[in-house]
Amino acid sequence: MNAEEALALAAAMGGGSGGGGNVDDVLVNGESVLGQDKKARIDLTKYQLTCLLHLELVINNAQETPITGATVTIKKDKDHAVYGTYEYNGVPIDISLPVGNEYTIICSNVSGCSAPFNEHITGVGGDIDLKMKYFDRPGIYGFHVNGSEADPAQAVTYLLDAIGATPAHMDFQTGIFNYGSWEDAFFFGKPCMVKRNGTRDYYVNPNDYSKKLDGTPSDYNNLNYDGNLMIEFPKFYIKVVPDEDDNNSFSVYIAAYKADNDFKCYPFLDMNGNEMDFCYIAAYNGSYDSNNRMRSISGTSIGYQQSGQTELDRARLNNITASEIEWNTEVKCDVDMINYLLILMGKNLNTQDVYGYGHYTGGSSAANLLNPGTMDTKGLFWGADADHTATGVKVFGIENWWGNQWRRFQGLVSDASKRYKMKLTYSTADGSTGTGYNSNGSGYLEPAVGVPNGYITKLDGANESMLPSSAGGSATTYECDYAYNGANMYALHGGACNGGLVCGAFALDLNYAFSRSNWNYGACLSCKPLVR
């Protein structure tokens, strides 16, 4: 019996990759698989069997019409190598992939279709039918923010392919998140375990982080695991266009492909400015292990009372070498990315009213902070109304994007005149003149925007970013979040559990120095694996 026959027999009796069945004996190349133990499990991965990927491309419309003129590239995830490149011309193709490995399939150059498509699969020792759908139109989602509109629910207008979409929202009565038209959007992240070398190990169940996708236990709460639980976002591109003569009103466009040269993918650039297929944002508030390394692991004690430099040093202890920076604390472009997506999905600038109020009040010490993992079984999105002040909020699988604890991040500081200095990439791909991030803004971009103090009334969209630019609103008007200003300060976002309704996606604190430490200050991990 050859390997393929062994696979077929095992599969027929309940076997598979790492599985098996009760059979008399199985021989592979003359070797007994079961030996004397008639009920032994068959480890098929030992025999380097293959799975057969049956690939068919269709246009995403009612007829599911097959498309032509595509290039299919398969990358082996573990070593980032290209496994093979195939031309697709309307006839389904079969590709053999070794079992046990993980792959990313990337389709591009599609005639009549503008949106590339990435899909992740695992070789499982059997046939896989993968039907990859494309948009039969450009697939660019857009929204416009009217900076003069005080009603946060009326300030956002859908553009391009977002027109007609139903906004998402948290149903506070049922406790169930309503995705509206966005449940299958291309920009969604996936929770996964990521090794310290920057490679994805495996995905976890988005509705229960304690389990892998196959139902077996994950390492979500294992401090001995050599990595962290992160949210993996697939590469997409963003374009920000201010209105003529009004930088506080602007349009944002989000596409799965580089629709023109003004579309940027700053969150998906490694330290050298190379485009990655994925970036990773921590699922949890940062905690520390016995080696003082910052972690994103469930069931740990949240980190607090550390200076910005200590937080940064502890985050970078995840890097394998000091010269190859893959792990860092959160960065400005990641904060922007999540906030753009929140506006797009919710069609509302009051993020707390749409997604949940979070842990925004009632705290007076570290004992009141929510530790990582309180929302492990809440899905990718969850929140409660303003009456539930001691619960967190979860967006895109990330706990406490606002509330609980201010999150210190890199790439934004204030100067001596309380004006912004900003950096959107580790490299100089954003037009900055210095490599890496720092605490004084040396080499940073200098947008002509001052940091406001008070409830935010306008966001400036003229610098490929969103920067709070004026104040004078309230907890229910305009952006509904608060900004604090100071000279020569370092940025935090989101708000904490002791400040009331200053919290939210746009809440910004630039009133304390990098050296400041407090119980309601913390930081979280970001990972941008090097393109090798």
Side-chain angles (χ1 to χ4, degrees), residues 52-92:
L52 192 64
L53 171 66
H54 177 81
L55 179 66
E56 180 177 0
L57 308 182
V58 296
I59 292 178
N60 190 16
N61 60 20
Q63 292 75 37
E64 293 197 344
T65 307
I67 61 176
T68 59
T71 299
V72 181
T73 302
I74 299 180
K75 291 185 177 181
K76 187 177 177 182
D77 289 351
K78 291 295 183 182
D79 54 15
H80 307 288
V82 174
Y83 181 81
T85 300
Y86 308 86
E87 298 299 321
Y88 176 82
N89 292 304
V91 179

Side-chain angles (χ1 to χ4, degrees), residues 7 24 56 191 291 371 383 417 437:
L7 172 61
D24 289 338
E56 180 177 0
N291 296 313
N371 286 320
S417 300
Y437 300 99

Side-chain angles (χ1 to χ4, degrees), residues 249-282:
S249 297
F250 54 90
S251 299
V252 177
Y253 303 96
I254 297 171
Y257 64 106
K258 191 175 180 66
D260 62 45
N261 288 332
D262 292 327
F263 278 80
K264 310 295 183 183
C265 61
Y266 291 140
F268 302 93
L269 299 183
D270 69 7
M271 66 176 292
N272 300 314
N274 298 314
E275 290 191 15
M276 309 170 296
D277 292 328
F278 306 99
C279 73
Y280 298 92
I281 297 177

Side-chain angles (χ1 to χ4, degrees), residues 28 104 117 150 289 361 390 424 487 528:
V28 177
T104 297
F117 191 90
D289 62 19
T361 191
L424 297 173
K528 301 190 182 299

Side-chain angles (χ1 to χ4, degrees), residues 2-173:
N2 61 30
E4 286 74 16
E5 291 169 330
L7 172 61
L9 176 59
M13 303 196 66
S17 176
N22 298 333
V23 296
D24 289 338
D25 204 356
V26 175
L27 298 178
V28 177
N29 297 330
E31 178 185 351
S32 174
V33 175
L34 299 182
Q36 299 301 312
D37 184 355
K38 303 301 183 183
K39 296 184 181 296
R41 283 184 74 80
I42 304 171
D43 183 4
L44 292 174
T45 61
K46 173 182 176 182
Y47 299 100
Q48 300 298 307
L49 305 181
T50 61
C51 65
L52 192 64
L53 171 66
H54 177 81
L55 179 66
E56 180 177 0
L57 308 182
V58 296
I59 292 178
N60 190 16
N61 60 20
Q63 292 75 37
E64 293 197 344
T65 307
I67 61 176
T68 59
T71 299
V72 181
T73 302
I74 299 180
K75 291 185 177 181
K76 187 177 177 182
D77 289 351
K78 291 295 183 182
D79 54 15
H80 307 288
V82 174
Y83 181 81
T85 300
Y86 308 86
E87 298 299 321
Y88 176 82
N89 292 304
V91 179
I93 55 177
D94 294 329
I95 305 164
S96 294
L97 301 175
V99 75
N101 292 324
E102 294 184 344
Y103 305 87
T104 297
I105 301 177
I106 304 168
C107 292
S108 57
N109 301 328
V110 181
S111 176
C113 301
S114 300
F117 191 90
N118 292 5
E119 182 69 22
H120 175 81
I121 67 167
T122 301
V124 296
D127 292 350
I128 300 174
D129 292 321
L130 182 66
K131 182 176 286 187
M132 304 183 70
K133 295 184 178 181
Y134 281 77
F135 296 104
D136 57 352
R137 47 198 169 90
I140 302 177
Y141 299 125
F143 63 85
H144 180 264
V145 173
N146 180 358
S148 300
E149 175 58 64
D151 184 343
Q154 298 298 317
V156 182
T157 304
Y158 277 157
L159 305 174
L160 298 185
D161 290 313
I163 294 174
T166 302
H169 71 278
M170 183 69 201
D171 189 324
F172 298 133
Q173 299 300 315

